[in-house]
Amino acid sequence: MADKMIALRLDKDLYDRISEDASRENRSVNNYIVTKLSEAVPTNNLEQRQIVGSVVRGDKINMANDLIEVKGIYYRYDLLANDTVNETRNYQVVKAAGNILTIQELK
């Protein structure tokens, strides 16, 4: 059960757009809204303050074990936009959620 329930008023057009996006992602409207709000509102946790924005060399990413070393600590990672890591490129941490970092290749 949710920690807090609220009533939310949305105009029909916005609801329809949200519903379509949620359907495309095979999620409920509620789950979709909660996910989008969670992504939009900063958590301001320790990882967010100290890790997000860090740049990591590709050779510090171990694809075999799905680990990335950031500031001497190993984390699990999700890679945006690519399936493989290029060891000669740099990557930036764009999100931290617990021990999982989201990274993207710097262009």
Side-chain angles (χ1 to χ4, degrees):
M1 176 172 274
D3 292 330
K4 181 71 175 169
M5 293 175 59
I6 64 166
L8 180 63
R9 291 191 177 107
L10 302 172
D11 64 46
K12 182 171 177 7
D13 180 57
L14 177 58
Y15 179 85
D16 289 345
R17 292 189 335 242
I18 290 170
S19 179
E20 288 172 15
D21 282 352
S23 179
R24 272 194 292 277
E25 295 182 16
N26 294 320
R27 295 201 256 173
S28 69
V29 169
N30 184 77
N31 179 271
Y32 181 85
I33 291 171
V34 168
T35 299
K36 293 298 179 184
L37 287 172
S38 295
E39 291 171 355
V41 177
T43 59
N44 202 25
N45 63 24
L46 182 62
E47 289 88 1
Q48 291 287 355
R49 290 193 308 269
Q50 295 186 344
I51 296 173
V52 172
S54 297
V55 175
V56 180
R57 294 190 330 253
D59 63 351
K60 294 290 186 182
I61 301 171
N62 183 329
M63 287 188 58
N65 295 320
D66 292 326
L67 295 173
I68 182 172
E69 181 185 349
V70 180
K71 298 183 179 183
I73 300 172
Y74 288 91
Y75 297 88
R76 297 255 177 232
Y77 70 90
D78 287 327
L79 181 60
L80 290 179
N82 294 332
D83 294 330
T84 59
V85 171
N86 182 335
E87 291 184 355
T88 64
R89 301 298 305 245
N90 287 325
Y91 294 81
Q92 185 171 32
V93 177
V94 294
K95 182 179 177 184
N99 69 337
I100 300 174
L101 306 181
T102 303
I103 62 172
Q104 69 181 12
E105 185 177 336
L106 291 175
K107 305 275 180 191

